[in-house]
Amino acid sequence: MLNLHSFVQTNQAFPAEVRPFLPALEVLLSRLNGLIDINEPDVAFLSDLVALREEEIMLHLLSMQLWQYRYEAPNGERWDITQEAYSDFISRHNDVTRSHYIDNAEYLTLISTWIISLCDWEINGSYSGVQLQ
């Protein structure tokens, strides 16, 4: 399963600026299971998470190649990362096609808003997903 533990040592100390993103990253990675794996360039930045600033995290997240595509079932249903994991979507549909978004600016706005909504801006030194120290 793709999760933050795959990328970071649990004894790493996360700067205060990174901590709000940890819950969002856990959800994001769980939603991407079945679509990307730990070796994908899109998630390589997570191994340097402790060194990143807030803006860099968002830049990496919004630059992920997967946002350039939409995933659609033969019945026209599209996968929506804000609603379900890719693995759940693919388990309901035998033949999912990937097509290129012509203009994904609106989609990126939706994704950025969703990611920010998943952040815990009140987080302190404890987070159950990854130990903060």
Side-chain angles (χ1 to χ4, degrees):
M1 181 171 179
L2 196 61
N3 59 43
L4 276 181
H5 294 286
S6 306
F7 297 95
V8 298
Q9 300 290 331
T10 55
N11 62 354
Q12 285 181 317
F14 289 93
E17 198 170 9
V18 171
R19 292 176 186 174
F21 286 92
L22 296 176
L25 291 170
E26 285 283 359
V27 171
L28 177 68
L29 291 173
S30 73
R31 299 282 176 95
L32 294 175
N33 270 315
L35 182 61
I36 64 173
D37 66 31
I38 196 169
N39 299 315
E40 295 279 338
D42 273 351
V43 292
F45 76 95
L46 293 173
S47 61
D48 295 324
L49 193 57
V50 295
L52 298 177
R53 296 186 331 265
E54 183 177 322
E55 303 85 30
E56 294 170 318
I57 294 170
M58 284 303 292
L59 179 63
H60 282 293
L61 291 173
L62 295 176
S63 299
M64 295 174 78
Q65 294 292 314
L66 69 102
W67 308 133
Q68 295 180 20
Y69 302 98
R70 67 176 171 214
Y71 301 85
E72 192 170 329
N75 67 359
E77 182 183 358
R78 291 185 184 156
W79 173 57
D80 180 358
I81 191 171
T82 67
Q83 300 299 312
E84 69 178 329
Y86 182 76
S87 57
D88 293 341
F89 181 74
I90 199 81
S91 72
R92 290 195 325 273
H93 305 286
N94 292 333
D95 187 26
V96 173
T97 58
R98 181 177 88 164
S99 60
H100 197 45
Y101 268 114
I102 303 294
D103 178 15
N104 69 346
E106 186 176 322
Y107 186 58
L108 284 176
T109 300
L110 171 75
I111 296 302
S112 65
T113 302
W114 176 68
I115 290 169
I116 290 168
S117 75
L118 294 173
C119 292
D120 182 354
W121 302 106
E122 304 297 321
I123 201 164
N124 56 26
S126 61
Y127 170 64
S128 62
V130 177
Q131 188 172 345
L132 301 178
Q133 288 191 346

